């Protein structure tokens, strides 16, 4: 069981090594893709994830988690090859379509393996290490980009292809955490899994809040941050250096369990909503580099601590033997929130970047209201 955990640690480190991460938006814009087209591609990707989540979850519970991981890791590798060769809207859309297949396939599978191997008591710590190692990979790649790659965007994409190829090879060493059932009579029907998932008290409200907080982080720290930095007059080299520092904060996920124990889960949940709202508010009101960087760093820190916390809570709310299917249903709901949020962010940013950050602040406060309601219904924190 420990071998699976260590292999997944190594794989997430390698898959975190996205060498073009610091200039992901600028890379696409250099190929003639606009910011609205970028967010449109993201929304199409989320829609495909929603359509594929449940079928993939059912398949994973049938064929086993190892086979699902291996297949998806090799498709992940292929998607990076397509990205490396993409030169227009159609190319980046094709990459994202394939990536949607991968994301839907991996959704709930990697965390299910970790949860079952580590046990409920140690799962938040393991999730935190897992999240942090992904950020460590991104940090390593960002340092290489800043020191050696510079404006050679194509080289950054090619190096990413190599790291994802190595992760695909490592996936072959995983062991099945539990054998896939070979008899139909032993399997829980999908309808029963769906009913058990959707009738879990307060779960829908919790997932809506998770979707809002995750989308704030995803859109602001991956796409809008670079536009804000350009608005502040920062150079590509400075953006790369700031991105490395932000990635360092992503390593803080390893302390997620300790932070929630010290502050109390209830207070931690409040902070995970208020900090993103504050960060987006600062970004909306300033064009100063120092304040902008500080806002992005706050958002990164909050998300790093929040993700292991929410993944552990998601797994605690699974009450069915088809864990991957249930977590895929969770992801489908979260992705639905992401589609709406992503289009809103993109449209507002195209009009006025400051309005996009105002929307982010409002979304953080809405997530807080939803989590307060969820806590009163479930008393899980």
């Amino acid at each position: 069981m420990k071998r699976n955990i260590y292999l997944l640690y190594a794989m997430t480190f390698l898959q975190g090594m996205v060498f073009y991460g610091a200039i992901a938006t600028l890379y696409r814009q250099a190929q003639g893709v606009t910011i609205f087209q970028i967010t449109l591609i993201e929304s199409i990707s989320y829609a495909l994830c929603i359509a594929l989540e449940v079928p993939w979850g059912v398949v994973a519970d049938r064929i086993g988690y190892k086979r699902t991981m291996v297949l998806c890791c090799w498709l992940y590798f292929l998607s990076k090859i397509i990205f490396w060769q993409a030169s227009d809207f159609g190319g980046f859309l094709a990459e994202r379509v394939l990536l949607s297949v991968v994301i839907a396939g991996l959704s709930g599978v990697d965390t299910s393996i970790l949860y079952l191997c580590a046990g409920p008591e140690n799962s938040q710590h393991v999730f935190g290490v897992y999240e942090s190692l992904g950020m460590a990979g991104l940090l390593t790649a960002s340092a290489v980009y800043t020191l050696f790659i510079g404006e050679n965007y194509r080289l950054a994409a090619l190096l990413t292809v190599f790291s994802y190829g190595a992760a695909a090879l490592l996936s072959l060493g995983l062991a099945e955490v539990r054998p896939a059932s070979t008899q139909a009579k032993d399997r829980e029907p999908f309808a029963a899994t769906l009913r058990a998932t959707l009738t879990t008290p307060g779960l829908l409200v919790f997932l809506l809040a998770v979707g809002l907080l995750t989308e704030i982080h995803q859109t602001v720290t991956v796409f809008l941050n670079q536009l804000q930095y350009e608005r502040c007059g920062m150079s590509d080299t400075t953006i790369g250096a700031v991105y490395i520092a932000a990635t360092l904060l992503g390593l803080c996920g390893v302390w997620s369990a300790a932070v929630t124990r010290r502050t109390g889960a209830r207070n931690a949940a409040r902070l995970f909503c208020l900090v993103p709202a504050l960060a987006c508010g600062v970004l909306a009101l300033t064009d100063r580099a120092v304040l902008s960087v500080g806002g992005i760093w706050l958002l990164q820190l909050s998300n790093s601590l929040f993700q292991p916390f929410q993944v552990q809570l998601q797994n605690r709310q699974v009450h069915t033997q088809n864990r991957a299917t249930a977590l895929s249903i969770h992801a489908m709901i979260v992705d639905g929130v992401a589609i709406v949020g992503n289009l809103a962010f993109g449209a507002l940013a195209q009009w006025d970047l400051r309005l996009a950050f105002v929307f982010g602040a409002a979304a953080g406060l809405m997530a807080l209201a939803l989590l307060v309601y969820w806590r009163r219904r479930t008393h899980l924190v």
Side-chain angles (χ1 to χ4, degrees):
M1 292 298 184
K2 286 187 176 180
R3 184 181 71 172
N4 277 351
I5 294 176
Y6 295 141
L7 278 173
L8 284 171
Y9 282 171
M11 289 163 60
T12 195
F13 176 81
L14 288 168
Q15 290 172 341
M17 294 181 71
V18 180
F19 291 88
Y20 58 81
I23 41 85
T25 299
L26 303 180
Y27 183 104
R28 292 171 172 89
Q29 287 184 325
Q31 305 301 322
V33 182
T34 68
I35 184 61
F36 181 74
Q37 287 176 323
I38 291 171
T39 55
L40 177 61
I41 290 173
E42 288 288 298
S43 294
I44 292 172
S45 174
Y46 285 131
L48 286 171
C49 285
I50 289 175
L52 295 171
E53 279 287 357
V54 171
W56 255 124
V58 173
V59 168
D61 282 320
R62 295 296 188 268
I63 70 173
Y65 297 158
K66 175 185 176 177
R67 291 179 183 175
T68 304
M69 286 292 298
V70 170
L71 176 59
C72 289
C73 284
W74 284 99
L75 290 176
Y76 224 161
F77 174 48
L78 178 59
S79 75
K80 295 307 173 186
I81 295 176
I82 295 174
F83 185 92
W84 169 45
Q85 293 297 310
S87 59
D88 55 18
F89 176 82
F92 289 109
L93 177 60
E95 179 265 342
R96 203 67 190 180
V97 167
L98 182 57
L99 192 58
S100 300
V101 176
V102 174
I103 291 172
L106 292 177
S107 176
V109 175
D110 54 349
T111 55
S112 289
I113 293 174
L114 291 172
Y115 187 80
L116 293 171
C117 289
E121 298 81 9
N122 299 319
S123 61
Q124 187 175 350
H125 173 71
V126 170
F127 291 145
V129 175
Y130 185 64
E131 184 83 15
S132 295
L133 283 171
M135 297 306 295
L138 185 57
L139 174 63
T140 302
S142 300
V144 171
Y145 168 80
T146 302
L147 296 174
F148 303 109
I149 299 176
E151 297 182 359
N152 191 343
Y153 295 170
R154 287 290 186 185
L155 177 58
L158 177 59
L159 292 176
T160 304
V161 170
F162 293 151
S163 64
Y164 274 70
L169 288 172
L170 283 181
S171 71
L172 299 174
L174 289 169
E176 184 57 70
V177 70
R178 64 168 179 78
S181 178
T182 58
Q183 298 182 11
K185 65 180 182 180
D186 296 331
R187 300 171 183 156
E188 180 181 86
F190 170 72
T193 303
L194 180 64
R195 183 168 57 253
T197 301
L198 296 182
T199 57
T200 301
L203 178 62
L204 179 60
V205 171
F206 173 78
L207 293 175
L208 291 175
V210 169
L212 286 172
L213 293 174
T214 301
E215 184 56 24
I216 294 169
H217 172 264
Q218 170 70 11
T219 304
V220 174
T221 65
V222 175
F223 299 111
L224 301 186
N225 62 335
Q226 294 159 47
L227 302 181
Q228 177 72 0
Y229 293 155
E230 282 196 323
R231 177 181 167 217
C232 298
M234 295 168 59
S235 66
D236 281 0
T237 302
T238 304
I239 290 174
V242 167
Y243 190 79
I244 290 174
T247 306
L248 274 172
L249 292 174
L251 302 178
C252 294
V254 71
W255 294 301
S256 174
V259 168
T260 54
R261 279 197 305 268
R262 183 174 294 273
T263 63
R266 186 182 305 180
N267 290 332
R270 292 195 186 104
L271 286 173
F272 294 147
C273 299
L274 291 174
V275 170
L278 173 63
C280 287
V282 169
L283 291 168
L285 295 173
T286 189
D287 59 1
R288 293 179 178 272
V290 172
L291 290 176
S292 296
V293 170
I296 298 297
W297 285 357
L298 269 179
L299 191 53
Q300 182 78 312
L301 175 62
S302 176
N303 185 72
S304 299
L305 297 172
F306 172 67
Q307 289 303 324
F309 176 66
Q310 69 89 4
V311 171
Q312 179 258 154
L313 285 174
Q314 278 198 56
N315 275 275
R316 283 174 59 188
Q317 294 176 87
V318 173
H319 306 296
T320 171
Q321 66 182 9
N322 291 332
R323 178 170 294 274
T325 304
L327 290 173
S328 289
I329 296 170
H330 293 190
M332 183 174 65
I333 296 168
V334 172
D335 287 346
V337 176
I339 290 175
V340 177
N342 200 52
L343 285 174
F345 270 119
L348 290 170
Q350 190 86 358
W351 188 12
D352 188 327
L353 185 60
R354 292 170 296 182
L355 292 178
F357 292 131
V358 170
F359 174 75
L365 295 177
M366 186 180 299
L368 175 61
L370 290 169
L371 284 180
V372 169
Y373 176 80
W374 167 78
R375 182 186 61 77
R376 291 175 179 172
R377 284 290 308 278
T378 64
H379 304 287
L380 283 176
V381 297

